[in-house]
Amino acid sequence: MKTTINENLYQYLLQFGTREHPILSDLRLYTSQLENFRMQIPPDQAQFMMLLAKVMNAKRYLEIGVFTGYSTLAMALSMGDDSSIVALEKNNEYINIAIKFWGMAQVVGKIRLFIQDAMISCEELLQNNYTNYFDIAFIDADKTNILQYYEYCLQLIRPHGIILIDNVLYHGKVLDKDKCGFVEKICEFNEFIYNDCRVEISMIPIGDGLTLAFKK
């Protein structure tokens, strides 16, 4: 049997299951005032990703879709001073918020930003010898291109690296009979990666659904 997580139990989980850095908390609260605040990952998901990075001793992290920089900041804090991050985001308004809080946390120097379409950035990374380079990649960009981002990450991640794909349950809408276009793309991706023998996978019900793909 699986425990049903209602709001009170979720707050208990946050209280005793997460240790949120003060600047992460400030950024999360700042982002909560934005119209698209739901695009930000929740603190329990960030905590899981941070612990995963520590377990792997990860030092090279790729993020596709930065938004206001919460997950980027979480990973920068987790991986230590000798780590490096490549972050892909095309929205300057969001990036300006991210840089402000990264500066407060003194992690700006380890983050390399590509402010343009993520497809172009991925191509540039491959052309500049980033093949098999990253320990962890996190895909949290537009869902219509989720499969293409995944294929790029398979090339950019080292063997035995991890790809994290967000929003794979998309508020439960993956079960709807009449799906909108990008939800259909998520469903197609979920079926694709389930049958992809290049990786070992685990889909977990954290945040809006997160799939872990271990590159063989």
Side-chain angles (χ1 to χ4, degrees):
M1 295 182 63
K2 178 177 172 57
T3 301
T4 299
I5 306 295
N6 59 28
E7 183 58 30
N8 289 336
L9 189 55
Y10 181 63
Q11 292 304 317
Y12 179 89
L13 182 155
L14 293 180
Q15 180 180 356
F16 293 104
T18 62
R19 296 172 179 169
E20 191 176 36
H21 190 285
I23 299 178
L24 278 173
S25 179
D26 290 344
L27 175 53
R28 179 169 55 83
L29 292 175
Y30 184 95
T31 304
S32 71
Q33 306 303 311
L34 302 179
E35 182 178 358
N36 295 328
F37 71 94
R38 289 184 178 84
M39 290 167 57
Q40 181 176 262
I41 67 169
D44 52 320
Q45 181 175 338
Q47 180 86 16
F48 173 79
M49 291 170 59
M50 293 167 73
L51 185 58
L52 178 64
K54 286 185 177 295
V55 169
M56 293 178 63
N57 193 30
K59 296 300 178 184
R60 298 169 175 176
Y61 171 65
L62 171 65
E63 184 162 291
I64 303 178
V66 172
F67 191 36
T68 59
Y70 183 84
S71 49
T72 321
L73 176 55
M75 296 298 273
L77 293 169
S78 178
M79 295 192 301
D81 293 337
D82 57 343
S83 61
S84 63
I85 291 173
V86 172
L88 314 183
E89 174 61 59
K90 64 181 181 180
N91 187 302
N92 279 290
E93 179 183 355
Y94 296 151
I95 283 297
N96 289 335
I97 297 170
I99 291 174
K100 173 184 175 181
F101 284 90
W102 296 345
M104 292 167 60
Q106 300 182 348
V107 300
V108 172
K110 68 175 69 175
I111 302 171
R112 181 184 178 191
L113 273 170
F114 285 71
I115 308 175
Q116 59 186 3
D117 185 274
M119 293 288 197
I120 298 172
S121 298
C122 287
E123 284 288 348
E124 290 183 2
L125 288 171
L126 289 174
Q127 292 169 11
N128 286 280
N129 300 316
Y130 280 85
T131 303
N132 297 325
Y133 178 81
F134 297 97
D135 301 307
I136 301 178
F138 180 41
I139 302 172
D140 193 17
D142 59 294
K143 308 312 169 190
T144 54
N145 293 311
I146 187 171
L147 181 55
Q148 291 92 324
Y149 295 139
Y150 170 71
E151 290 292 349
Y152 277 123
C153 286
L154 274 178
Q155 298 177 72
L156 294 164
I157 287 290
R158 64 168 172 82
H160 298 174
I162 296 285
I163 304 170
L164 306 171
I165 306 99
D166 202 23
N167 305 113
V168 294
L169 298 178
Y170 204 80
H171 312 299
K173 293 185 181 298
V174 291
L175 296 180
D176 290 352
K177 291 183 178 179
D178 297 319
K179 303 177 182 67
C180 63
F182 67 89
V183 175
E184 189 64 43
K185 290 291 185 181
I186 293 171
C187 291
E188 290 173 3
F189 171 77
N190 289 340
E191 182 176 352
F192 177 88
I193 197 171
Y194 176 80
N195 292 294
D196 189 358
C197 62
R198 297 171 294 179
V199 295
E200 300 288 350
I201 66 165
S202 178
M203 181 189 288
I204 58 175
I206 192 171
D208 195 25
L210 183 70
T211 290
L212 284 69
F214 172 83
K215 180 178 174 180
K216 295 180 180 179

